[in-house]
Amino acid sequence: MTKPTIRPDAQKVALIVDDSRAQRLIFAKHLQGWGYRTHEAGSGLHALEACSTQHFDLILSDWMMPEMDGLEFCRAFRAMQGDRYSYFILLTSKNDKTAVAEGLDVGADDFLPKPVSPVELRARITAGERLLAMEREVRAALEELQNLYDALDRDLMEARRLQQSLIRKRQHNFEGNTLSLLLQSSGHVGGDMVGTFIISTARIGVYAIDVSGHGVAAAMLGARVAGLFSGGEHHQNIVLIRDPGTGKPRAGAPHEVAARINDLMLEEFDTETYLTVVYADIDLRTGRLRLVQAGHPHPVIQRADGRIEYIGEGGLPIGLIPNASFATIEAQLMPGDRLLLYSDGITECTNQHAEEFGEEGLKTALAKLAHLKGVEFVDALKWELLHWSGKDEFEDDVSGALFEFNHAMQAPNAPPRYYRGVPVET
């Protein structure tokens, strides 16, 4: 069945359905005098054919007709009706309440007893026009809302691309040691961020951030906090502080970094949102690992022989308590070991039975995927999680950073290295 065409002009259109040609002519004369363009049908079947190609503002139909009576026509018409509403008046000699209720039940808007009074007909049509006018206003408002939604959706898609661009590349190579990143928002944008930066010629910083909540506000705060870890000067990177003895930038201890972010959140960021962070300072020559866990899930080390170790002490989230104290945790990575930082979107992912993936699920996945490396591993972990949930999308943001310590970096004897044009010290 073809979609009814919508007339380009604003003239009202009525369909008169009656097996009596004389009755159709009488109604047509009245309706034309009231500003309607009229169409006629001698039966319910012919009326349905007309409605399949033309929209009518008003339908005036007799109840008693051969082949298909007015009640059957009304029921069939309502079943096929598109987005635009038509006001349906049944004309009948029936005046018992059961018949009226039956007509209303199949979709009639009003009834008129025969013989029809022109004055009463005009009054009923005027009431119908008020309803149609409101329907048009609602439809126009819905179309405007749809346009706004479409524009917002386009903006959010662009925001998603911009957020993903903050992770310039998914894998970083540090002279044979690799860092692979995973970022999957539950919606268009999310509050998770992961990344890395160079501390010195033989040290890197790795961070994972999870802002409470979802959406644009969480994404903006996540990007802002991630920006605190960029740059190679102490006034650009919150990790770097000026050494009073040498006057050169040096990296603060991880617990000091968490405290500085916490102070900044409470003193300068105008938000009631909090976040969790894990920040790791990794020495590429020795495998020495120093990290702070501020409310983030416990980091996990997978040893070269497959053993799994969860480290960290939990810690307080960032942005809740003034002067909160944090602790630096130390661990030792050996060649072949790898460190995984991840958000609670992984461990708190639920399946169809409301069971969480949990640390045990992650431990099982790490063992299953132990043969995979780098980006292949983090992508496989994401698919394991989707398979567990039984859904096409995550209900929470999912992020992770996998550092693989493949070998100890040799002490550099080369000229000083530069990071974004800024010399970095060992």
Side-chain angles (χ1 to χ4, degrees):
M1 185 175 291
T2 59
K3 185 177 179 179
T5 58
I6 299 176
R7 66 188 191 280
D9 58 277
Q11 186 179 13
K12 298 171 290 186
V13 184
L15 175 63
I16 304 167
V17 188
D18 200 305
D19 58 333
S20 168
R21 186 171 182 274
Q23 287 293 320
R24 296 200 303 270
L25 290 174
I26 292 172
F27 288 128
K29 183 177 179 180
H30 288 309
L31 291 171
Q32 290 166 7
W34 299 330
Y36 280 86
R37 182 158 51 90
T38 60
H39 292 255
E40 300 177 19
S43 70
L45 290 175
H46 291 157
L48 274 180
E49 292 178 7
C51 292
S52 68
T53 58
Q54 169 75 51
H55 171 76
F56 298 101
D57 300 287
L58 172 68
I59 297 178
L60 200 63
S61 175
D62 191 18
W63 186 312
M64 303 303 297
M65 294 183 293
E67 296 180 320
M68 174 183 282
D69 64 23
L71 200 65
E72 295 170 326
F73 164 52
C74 183
R75 181 185 292 109
F77 169 72
R78 290 303 187 200
M80 64 172 281
Q81 190 177 11
D83 297 334
R84 302 181 65 192
Y85 195 76
S86 300
Y87 198 76
F88 199 110
I89 300 177
L90 268 176
L91 308 176
T92 177
S93 57
K94 298 184 178 183
N95 55 13
D96 61 281
K97 294 182 179 180
T98 301
V100 171
E102 187 178 7
L104 290 172
D105 187 58
V106 301
D109 296 292
D110 206 346
F111 290 86
L112 275 176
K114 284 187 171 182
V116 176
S117 162
V119 175
E120 187 174 5
L121 176 61
R122 178 60 178 143
R124 301 295 179 89
I125 291 176
T126 299
E129 290 174 347
R130 288 196 295 268
L131 185 147
L132 292 176
M134 288 187 289
E135 187 266 343
R136 286 191 294 270
E137 291 176 2
V138 170
R139 180 158 27 92
L142 290 175
E143 289 177 357
E144 184 175 356
L145 285 174
Q146 184 63 50
N147 291 335
L148 291 172
Y149 175 81
D150 292 341
L152 178 61
D153 190 62
R154 290 191 295 270
D155 287 346
L156 288 173
M157 289 297 294
E158 181 63 23
R160 183 187 185 93
R161 286 190 289 269
L162 289 172
Q163 185 181 45
Q164 291 291 334
S165 72
L166 295 176
I167 301 179
R168 292 178 176 83
K169 54 183 180 179
R170 293 189 60 201
Q171 188 168 72
H172 301 258
N173 189 299
F174 302 101
E175 299 189 20
N177 301 301
T178 59
L179 177 72
S180 305
L181 304 177
L182 167 66
L183 181 62
Q184 182 73 45
S185 300
S186 58
H188 287 90
V189 291
D192 282 17
M193 283 298 297
V194 288
T196 184
F197 62 95
I198 294 174
I199 297 175
S200 70
T201 51
R203 286 166 62 194
I204 62 170
V206 182
Y207 60 87
I209 302 165
D210 184 0
V211 179
S212 62
H214 304 283
V216 175
M220 292 180 66
L221 181 56
R224 187 174 181 186
V225 175
L228 299 175
F229 292 97
S230 65
E233 286 285 352
H234 69 280
H235 61 275
Q236 297 172 326
N237 192 317
I238 198 165
V239 172
L240 303 179
I241 58 177
R242 184 175 295 279
D243 190 313
T246 65
K248 296 180 179 180
R250 67 172 178 83
H255 69 274
E256 295 174 334
V257 174
R260 293 177 69 186
I261 299 175
N262 188 66
D263 292 342
L264 193 63
M265 282 278 293
L266 293 171
E267 293 172 7
E268 298 187 21
F269 288 13
D270 185 17
T271 178
E272 296 181 357
T273 305
Y274 68 91
L275 53 91
T276 65
V277 171
V278 61
Y279 161 64
D281 180 334
I282 304 172
D283 191 318
L284 301 174
R285 291 174 300 186
T286 65
R288 182 191 182 202
L289 169 66
R290 302 170 71 230
L291 64 79
V292 60
Q293 180 190 13
H296 220 68
H298 293 289
V300 60
I301 295 176
Q302 185 173 30
R303 299 296 181 182
D305 61 6
R307 287 180 296 115
I308 304 297
E309 298 176 12
Y310 284 99
I311 61 175
E313 300 176 356
L316 294 170
I318 299 289
L320 287 181
I321 301 176
N323 303 316
S325 60
F326 303 90
T328 293
I329 299 102
E330 295 194 11
Q332 181 65 48
L333 297 176
M334 302 300 292
D337 294 347
R338 56 186 181 183
L339 168 73
L340 178 65
L341 313 179
Y342 57 93
S343 67
D344 60 10
I346 291 180
T347 50
E348 294 181 2
C349 179
T350 57
N351 62 13
Q352 296 176 343
H353 303 291
E355 299 168 330
E356 290 189 350
F357 195 64
E359 291 185 351
E360 283 301 313
L362 179 57
K363 183 177 180 180
T364 301
L366 284 167
K368 178 180 179 181
L369 306 175
H371 63 288
L372 298 177
K373 305 295 181 183
V375 173
E376 289 187 4
F377 169 84
V378 295
D379 285 345
L381 177 60
K382 181 180 74 173
W383 290 115
E384 286 288 320
L385 206 60
L386 283 171
H387 179 72
W388 161 267
S389 69
K391 302 169 186 174
D392 296 330
E393 297 182 351
F394 294 117
E395 294 182 353
D396 193 7
D397 303 330
V398 168
S399 62
L402 176 73
F403 174 73
E404 294 168 299
F405 186 59
N406 298 314
H407 64 85
M409 180 186 293
Q410 298 298 315
N413 294 315
R417 296 177 60 188
Y418 290 81
Y419 176 60
R420 297 180 182 174
V422 178
V424 291
E425 300 294 332
T426 303

